Amino acid sequence: MKRLLFTLLSIVLLAGGASAQISWKEIVITDVDEPTTVTFTTGGANYLEFTAVATGVVSFEMGWSGIRLYYSDVTGAQGDNVPAKSDASTDYATIYQLQVEEGQTYRLTTSSVIQAWTANVYYGEGESQVDLSMTSSYNDGDKYSVIDKNLELVFNLPISVENVMIAYGEQPDGTFAVERPVSDYSFTYTTQCFFVVELNKIIEPMIEENDIRPGEKFRITVNGIQSQGSDPQIYGEDGTYSVTLELDEMPVQVTDINPANGSTLYTFYPEGGDAGLITFTFDAELDPDPMANGGTRPISVTCSYGDPESGSGATHNLPYTIKGNTLTADIRGIRFPETVSSSRGGEQPTSITLNLKGLRSVDGRDVRTNYVGAGTTAVMAIYPLEKEQIQFYYDSDPQDGSLQGYNEVLLWLSAPLLSFDNITYSWETSRGTRTMVYGSDEIEFTYDEMMGGYTAYVPLDGVSKAVPVTMTLVGGTLMNGDAANLEILFDPTTGIDDVTVDGDEVVKVYTIGGTLVKECKQSEAANGLAKGVYIINNKKYVVK
């Protein structure tokens, strides 16, 4: 007869690095005639200490837990394995057996316990007495939404099943009009047996076919449940488990993403521009603060890229706005690399992943994922990136001639600048090089529709006009991150004409950027022109 060894009152592990102290709890033996159980707690190794009240074999029946037992000394150091055998009746239960002597104290430690487990402990070498047991992720009457967890049954021993059935179409008497088998289920064996019925794969097609609607019930039945091994146990009375659930309201869904998921975006968008905003549209109004209205998690909008294992990964928390049924995420101002290194070696083009979590509708419904693997309520969008190609060129008035008669230089750029340090004039004198510097806070480039480009007026205060002068843009950067190189030499020996064209010949007037302004007689070419540089009859003229 198996006899009581002891009752485990508690197991305490004090963690603290190399100086951690092990607290041993003395196990008090109160009766030697009945078996008992030991519960192992999670969070690391468990430490046991007991004094044998009789000479013989003490058995720790661990079942299918995967927890290992070791002899230990007073420091808690792991020693040799305690001898173990597999129980022939189950093929899975592991039984650790200690040869003990009456009056001797024994200390044991376990491997790291990742899931709480209860083991049988007794004197003797008997076979397993573990009963087949199960826990379920749902109870009768629970509500189920297509974004909720699946039905998970956790058994303490490996099992097999005969079939899985779904019943629906509830009648007034509580029975169901239709019952049919389903095949969307799976087994996973780790420290326990996880049997999962994939409700989302079963229910979603039924919703699309109008077989079931929110508020209606359905029943899942698992038949023929028994443990594996040479002497199988039947689960419960007849090997059957069933649960009746109610279909909850449909979750909110994303209906549009602009730019569309998968579109190619640029590696940089400047702050304040119209591009770089990504808008997600849903089929219901969103709650801008779900935590204030019963939600369990805050809204999170992130953008990630790269390979964390190679050190090239990064994640940004994005600013966002919610208005009605739209959420707009802002990636402006973030400079993404063109390529990222891979942990497998080499470089690959960068892609970014936007991930939206914690969203709910104003009526309390969660948001359904639009991407397999994103999580039950996460919405994702993935974009490959490329560097924007910018053709940069420039011109000025005067272009390269004398500065005589000018109080400022009109500078024209084909593309906007992201930033620049300053614009510097430099010229040579008998005493060396002289400079005049205008900082970026003094010079403003604005778009000129007539001139088809970006213009700024740079003063000539203090600049010599009698000698060659070089204008340089210092630290210029284009919107794609390229350097904006600009250098113009103004030489008194060359010049540019004012608009003083005469005659009745019909001419075309263009901006310096190539935009046709008008077609008129030569004598009327200057009429109504705004200040700037123009091309008339393939010749450059300036309007002051």
Side-chain angles (χ1 to χ4, degrees), residues 64 117 132-135 153-159 161 191-195 222 225 235 241:
W64 199 45
W117 191 266
L132 178 60
S133 62
M134 185 247 355
T135 58
L153 308 179
V154 183
F155 295 88
N156 63 329
L157 295 174
I159 58 111
V161 303
T191 58
Q192 299 183 82
C193 177
F194 296 88
F195 180 72
V222 185
I225 305 172
Y235 171 75
Y241 166 84

Side-chain angles (χ1 to χ4, degrees), residues 170-432:
E170 188 181 21
Q171 304 298 299
D173 62 358
T175 62
F176 292 93
V178 181
E179 186 174 36
R180 61 178 177 82
V182 295
S183 58
D184 297 303
Y185 58 85
S186 61
F187 297 85
T188 301
Y189 304 103
T190 55
T191 58
Q192 299 183 82
C193 177
F194 296 88
F195 180 72
V196 177
V197 180
E198 298 177 85
L199 295 179
N200 49 6
K201 291 184 179 180
I202 298 169
I203 299 300
E204 186 170 357
M206 294 175 61
I207 295 171
E208 294 175 355
E209 295 296 327
N210 207 31
D211 290 333
I212 189 170
R213 291 177 290 272
E216 296 182 344
K217 295 180 180 179
F218 63 95
R219 183 181 66 213
I220 298 292
T221 302
V222 185
N223 295 307
I225 305 172
Q226 66 177 22
S227 64
Q228 299 181 23
S230 57
D231 186 18
Q233 295 183 49
I234 301 299
Y235 171 75
E237 295 182 359
D238 58 1
T240 299
Y241 166 84
S242 69
V243 63
T244 300
L245 305 175
E246 179 184 325
L247 183 61
D248 205 353
E249 291 183 88
M250 295 302 296
V252 177
Q253 299 188 72
V254 62
T255 59
D256 182 70
I257 304 176
N258 185 27
N261 184 24
S263 301
T264 299
L265 302 182
Y266 290 136
T267 54
F268 180 78
Y269 293 98
E271 295 179 359
D274 294 331
L277 300 175
I278 302 174
T279 300
F280 298 79
T281 303
F282 299 84
D283 61 3
E285 184 177 351
L286 298 177
D287 186 347
D289 188 7
M291 291 289 286
N293 298 301
T296 59
R297 55 190 180 276
I299 295 174
S300 169
V301 180
T302 61
C303 175
S304 58
Y305 66 90
D307 185 343
E309 292 185 13
S310 70
S312 66
T315 298
H316 297 274
N317 292 311
L318 299 180
Y320 65 89
T321 56
I322 291 178
K323 185 176 182 181
N325 65 335
T326 64
L327 181 149
T328 301
D330 188 351
I331 63 170
R332 296 176 300 182
I334 302 173
R335 191 177 299 282
F336 299 103
E338 296 175 53
T339 61
V340 291
S341 58
S342 170
S343 58
R344 298 181 178 179
E347 295 286 316
Q348 59 187 22
T350 303
S351 289
I352 60 172
T353 299
L354 270 65
N355 201 324
L356 283 55
K357 295 181 179 179
L359 297 179
R360 297 182 77 196
S361 64
V362 292
D363 57 6
R365 290 178 291 154
D366 285 331
V367 172
R368 182 182 183 184
T369 183
N370 67 326
Y371 221 96
V372 175
T376 56
T377 61
V379 174
M380 289 177 57
I382 300 176
Y383 299 99
L385 301 183
E386 67 177 23
K387 184 176 181 179
E388 182 180 7
Q389 300 302 314
I390 297 177
Q391 298 297 321
F392 178 68
Y393 49 97
Y394 55 88
D395 211 329
S396 66
D397 174 28
Q399 184 178 30
D400 53 7
S402 173
L403 295 175
Q404 292 290 344
Y406 287 85
N407 295 321
E408 57 190 4
V409 171
L410 170 62
L411 191 58
W412 179 92
L413 309 179
S414 63
L417 297 173
L418 174 63
S419 63
F420 67 98
D421 295 335
N422 58 69
I423 293 176
T424 299
Y425 293 108
S426 60
W427 63 96
E428 297 297 327
T429 70
S430 59
R431 296 183 178 181

